[in-house]
Amino acid sequence: MRWKLLRRRLSISAPRMIVRSRVPWPLRWAVWALALGFSAALALWALELGKDLAGIDRVLHDSGRSGRTGSSQDAGPNDQLRSERDKAQSIANTAESLLKTERTTQERLLGQIKVLEAQNMALKGDLGFFERLLPMGGKDSIFVRGLQAQIVSAGQLRFQLLVMQPGKTPAEFRGRYELTLQGQLDGKSWSQALPQGRALQFRQHQRVEGMLEFPAPVVLQGVQVRVVDAQGGVRASQELRL
């Protein structure tokens, strides 16, 4: 049996023998890593080549640059609009302040105008009063000017008048003035004279004013004033109708 087995192994019909060399596993991992790295590098190179051929990087770069340019261009008009808005707001605030100042000035001027108008009316009244006081007679004449009378309440009358004597150095006048009230009482004529008159003593002028009382039922119609000298002669007179 041993001879048969030995002859079978040494004959042509003997089975083939495969001789394999055993490689350590670290070396095999290194080989596999190199192969994978080479494959990855080859794939990356192919990708870059494809991008260059398709122009993708150039498009993305141009798009990004245009985006940045567009954003900067958009920011420019926005800043300009914001600046113009701030300027317009400042101008509006200034205009409003000026309008308020002008309105206050106008109100103050209107108040001053009203005061001046009132003073002008008072001056016109005084001018008319003094124009009526101008003497129109000769030397040594006595004049009654500016006779005014006003009923202030039932049975009371306020009056005022000015007695004048023209000339630069007239003689002193001594006398009195007499007032007479005229009206209607119960449908009949009524009059009342100031008892004994009031004394006058002046050289050029004397202002006279006062209050008179009369019966309340009387309908007062007029006032008469007379200037009488020391001898009893009437030197001047004036009548005022109410």
Side-chain angles (χ1 to χ4, degrees), residues 8-9 13 17 23 35 48 55 63 70 95-96 99 108 117 134 157 183 221 223 234 237:
R8 186 181 297 176
R9 291 180 179 177
S13 59
M17 180 180 294
V23 180
E48 293 296 331
S63 176
E96 184 178 1
L99 286 175
R108 187 183 301 111
E117 287 179 351
L134 293 177
L157 177 73
Q221 296 177 339
V223 180
V234 177
S237 65

mmCIF file of all heavy atoms in Angstrom, residues 8-9 13 17 23 35 48 55 63 70 95-96 99 108 117 134 157 183 221 223 234 237:
data_model
loop_
_atom_site.group_PDB
_atom_site.id
_atom_site.type_symbol
_atom_site.label_atom_id
_atom_site.label_comp_id
_atom_site.label_asym_id
_atom_site.label_seq_id
_atom_site.Cartn_x
_atom_site.Cartn_y
_atom_site.Cartn_z
ATOM 1 N N ARG A 8 1.749 6.768 -6.891
ATOM 2 C CA ARG A 8 0.693 7.661 -7.368
ATOM 3 C C ARG A 8 1.123 9.121 -7.246
ATOM 4 O O ARG A 8 0.825 9.965 -8.061
ATOM 5 C CB ARG A 8 -0.575 7.383 -6.584
ATOM 6 C CG ARG A 8 -1.747 8.139 -7.090
ATOM 7 C CD ARG A 8 -2.959 7.805 -6.234
ATOM 8 N NE ARG A 8 -3.270 6.382 -6.358
ATOM 9 C CZ ARG A 8 -4.239 5.793 -5.659
ATOM 10 N NH1 ARG A 8 -4.933 6.458 -4.743
ATOM 11 N NH2 ARG A 8 -4.462 4.472 -5.847
ATOM 12 N N ARG A 9 1.831 9.414 -6.159
ATOM 13 C CA ARG A 9 2.245 10.796 -5.957
ATOM 14 C C ARG A 9 3.338 11.184 -6.934
ATOM 15 O O ARG A 9 3.439 12.319 -7.337
ATOM 16 C CB ARG A 9 2.743 10.996 -4.528
ATOM 17 C CG ARG A 9 1.625 10.894 -3.507
ATOM 18 C CD ARG A 9 2.190 11.097 -2.129
ATOM 19 N NE ARG A 9 1.118 11.026 -1.112
ATOM 20 C CZ ARG A 9 1.312 11.118 0.180
ATOM 21 N NH1 ARG A 9 2.549 11.276 0.654
ATOM 22 N NH2 ARG A 9 0.291 11.019 1.005
ATOM 23 N N SER A 13 -0.126 11.212 -13.078
ATOM 24 C CA SER A 13 -1.515 11.347 -12.629
ATOM 25 C C SER A 13 -1.633 11.854 -11.206
ATOM 26 O O SER A 13 -2.704 11.901 -10.624
ATOM 27 C CB SER A 13 -2.229 9.989 -12.727
ATOM 28 O OG SER A 13 -1.553 9.024 -11.917
ATOM 29 N N MET A 17 0.020 20.570 -7.149
ATOM 30 C CA MET A 17 0.316 21.237 -5.878
ATOM 31 C C MET A 17 0.451 22.739 -6.160
ATOM 32 O O MET A 17 1.155 23.130 -7.082
ATOM 33 C CB MET A 17 1.627 20.699 -5.273
ATOM 34 C CG MET A 17 1.991 21.335 -3.953
ATOM 35 S SD MET A 17 3.534 20.630 -3.325
ATOM 36 C CE MET A 17 2.998 18.924 -3.011
ATOM 37 N N VAL A 23 1.605 36.449 2.909
ATOM 38 C CA VAL A 23 1.950 37.889 3.089
ATOM 39 C C VAL A 23 1.421 38.354 4.440
ATOM 40 O O VAL A 23 0.250 38.081 4.785
ATOM 41 C CB VAL A 23 1.344 38.758 1.972
ATOM 42 C CG1 VAL A 23 1.694 40.215 2.168
ATOM 43 C CG2 VAL A 23 1.831 38.246 0.606
ATOM 44 N N ALA A 35 -4.152 51.572 -2.510
ATOM 45 C CA ALA A 35 -5.072 51.410 -3.633
ATOM 46 C C ALA A 35 -6.280 52.318 -3.491
ATOM 47 O O ALA A 35 -6.725 52.979 -4.436
ATOM 48 C CB ALA A 35 -5.496 49.930 -3.737
ATOM 49 N N GLU A 48 -12.819 67.385 -10.588
ATOM 50 C CA GLU A 48 -12.327 68.724 -10.887
ATOM 51 C C GLU A 48 -12.283 68.971 -12.391
ATOM 52 O O GLU A 48 -12.608 70.050 -12.873
ATOM 53 C CB GLU A 48 -10.935 68.928 -10.276
ATOM 54 C CG GLU A 48 -10.927 68.945 -8.760
ATOM 55 C CD GLU A 48 -11.702 70.120 -8.211
ATOM 56 O OE1 GLU A 48 -11.771 71.170 -8.893
ATOM 57 O OE2 GLU A 48 -12.235 70.013 -7.078
ATOM 58 N N GLY A 55 -17.750 74.460 -16.348
ATOM 59 C CA GLY A 55 -17.768 75.870 -15.956
ATOM 60 C C GLY A 55 -18.571 76.156 -14.710
ATOM 61 O O GLY A 55 -19.071 77.265 -14.520
ATOM 62 N N SER A 63 -21.595 84.319 -9.705
ATOM 63 C CA SER A 63 -22.855 84.530 -8.982
ATOM 64 C C SER A 63 -22.600 85.138 -7.617
ATOM 65 O O SER A 63 -23.286 86.053 -7.178
ATOM 66 C CB SER A 63 -23.598 83.212 -8.842
ATOM 67 O OG SER A 63 -24.770 83.399 -8.070
ATOM 68 N N GLY A 70 -24.423 93.214 -5.863
ATOM 69 C CA GLY A 70 -25.824 93.633 -5.801
ATOM 70 C C GLY A 70 -26.217 94.093 -4.421
ATOM 71 O O GLY A 70 -26.934 95.074 -4.245
ATOM 72 N N ALA A 95 -39.246 123.704 10.186
ATOM 73 C CA ALA A 95 -40.380 124.477 9.684
ATOM 74 C C ALA A 95 -41.489 124.568 10.730
ATOM 75 O O ALA A 95 -42.100 125.623 10.920
ATOM 76 C CB ALA A 95 -40.910 123.841 8.401
ATOM 77 N N GLU A 96 -41.736 123.456 11.423
ATOM 78 C CA GLU A 96 -42.773 123.476 12.469
ATOM 79 C C GLU A 96 -42.399 124.429 13.599
ATOM 80 O O GLU A 96 -43.236 125.173 14.109
ATOM 81 C CB GLU A 96 -42.966 122.062 13.010
ATOM 82 C CG GLU A 96 -44.097 121.945 14.026
ATOM 83 C CD GLU A 96 -44.299 120.523 14.498
ATOM 84 O OE1 GLU A 96 -43.545 119.637 14.037
ATOM 85 O OE2 GLU A 96 -45.216 120.289 15.317
ATOM 86 N N LEU A 99 -42.951 127.904 12.377
ATOM 87 C CA LEU A 99 -44.379 128.230 12.335
ATOM 88 C C LEU A 99 -44.910 128.557 13.729
ATOM 89 O O LEU A 99 -45.706 129.490 13.909
ATOM 90 C CB LEU A 99 -45.157 127.063 11.727
ATOM 91 C CG LEU A 99 -45.021 126.878 10.213
ATOM 92 C CD1 LEU A 99 -45.750 125.618 9.765
ATOM 93 C CD2 LEU A 99 -45.579 128.095 9.475
ATOM 94 N N ARG A 108 -48.876 137.941 19.565
ATOM 95 C CA ARG A 108 -48.387 139.068 20.352
ATOM 96 C C ARG A 108 -48.635 140.389 19.619
ATOM 97 O O ARG A 108 -49.054 141.386 20.217
ATOM 98 C CB ARG A 108 -46.903 138.892 20.640
ATOM 99 C CG ARG A 108 -46.353 139.942 21.605
ATOM 100 C CD ARG A 108 -44.869 139.788 21.805
ATOM 101 N NE ARG A 108 -44.519 138.471 22.327
ATOM 102 C CZ ARG A 108 -43.877 137.554 21.645
ATOM 103 N NH1 ARG A 108 -43.481 137.794 20.406
ATOM 104 N NH2 ARG A 108 -43.603 136.382 22.193
ATOM 105 N N GLU A 117 -55.079 150.249 19.014
ATOM 106 C CA GLU A 117 -56.372 150.723 18.515
ATOM 107 C C GLU A 117 -57.194 151.357 19.636
ATOM 108 O O GLU A 117 -57.834 152.397 19.437
ATOM 109 C CB GLU A 117 -57.134 149.562 17.884
ATOM 110 C CG GLU A 117 -56.572 149.111 16.537
ATOM 111 C CD GLU A 117 -57.343 147.935 15.962
ATOM 112 O OE1 GLU A 117 -58.198 147.379 16.711
ATOM 113 O OE2 GLU A 117 -57.110 147.585 14.792
ATOM 114 N N LEU A 134 -61.634 174.746 22.050
ATOM 115 C CA LEU A 134 -60.929 175.898 21.500
ATOM 116 C C LEU A 134 -61.795 177.143 21.590
ATOM 117 O O LEU A 134 -62.950 177.156 21.138
ATOM 118 C CB LEU A 134 -60.548 175.626 20.040
ATOM 119 C CG LEU A 134 -59.518 174.534 19.821
ATOM 120 C CD1 LEU A 134 -59.297 174.310 18.328
ATOM 121 C CD2 LEU A 134 -58.206 174.892 20.504
ATOM 122 N N LEU A 157 -76.868 161.581 37.953
ATOM 123 C CA LEU A 157 -76.290 162.074 36.707
ATOM 124 C C LEU A 157 -74.851 162.503 36.959
ATOM 125 O O LEU A 157 -74.577 163.252 37.898
ATOM 126 C CB LEU A 157 -77.107 163.277 36.182
ATOM 127 C CG LEU A 157 -76.574 163.932 34.914
ATOM 128 C CD1 LEU A 157 -76.831 163.044 33.706
ATOM 129 C CD2 LEU A 157 -77.235 165.301 34.705
ATOM 130 N N GLY A 183 -86.513 168.072 31.990
ATOM 131 C CA GLY A 183 -87.083 166.794 31.613
ATOM 132 C C GLY A 183 -88.589 166.791 31.727
ATOM 133 O O GLY A 183 -89.238 167.843 31.731
ATOM 134 N N GLN A 221 -84.111 165.075 29.986
ATOM 135 C CA GLN A 221 -83.988 165.399 28.566
ATOM 136 C C GLN A 221 -82.813 166.315 28.246
ATOM 137 O O GLN A 221 -82.357 166.351 27.114
ATOM 138 C CB GLN A 221 -85.283 166.067 28.070
ATOM 139 C CG GLN A 221 -86.480 165.134 28.139
ATOM 140 C CD GLN A 221 -87.758 165.821 27.725
ATOM 141 O OE1 GLN A 221 -87.862 167.064 27.756
ATOM 142 N NE2 GLN A 221 -88.755 165.037 27.339
ATOM 143 N N VAL A 223 -79.379 169.169 29.929
ATOM 144 C CA VAL A 223 -78.625 169.825 30.994
ATOM 145 C C VAL A 223 -78.172 171.189 30.468
ATOM 146 O O VAL A 223 -77.673 171.283 29.340
ATOM 147 C CB VAL A 223 -77.408 168.990 31.427
ATOM 148 C CG1 VAL A 223 -76.646 169.709 32.530
ATOM 149 C CG2 VAL A 223 -77.832 167.609 31.894
ATOM 150 N N VAL A 234 -74.220 186.966 33.552
ATOM 151 C CA VAL A 234 -73.961 185.686 32.891
ATOM 152 C C VAL A 234 -72.871 185.879 31.847
ATOM 153 O O VAL A 234 -73.035 186.657 30.900
ATOM 154 C CB VAL A 234 -75.249 185.136 32.225
ATOM 155 C CG1 VAL A 234 -74.950 183.838 31.491
ATOM 156 C CG2 VAL A 234 -76.330 184.940 33.264
ATOM 157 N N SER A 237 -72.699 180.318 28.622
ATOM 158 C CA SER A 237 -73.692 179.255 28.863
ATOM 159 C C SER A 237 -73.597 178.209 27.764
ATOM 160 O O SER A 237 -73.121 178.487 26.650
ATOM 161 C CB SER A 237 -75.114 179.839 28.920
ATOM 162 O OG SER A 237 -75.460 180.380 27.654
#
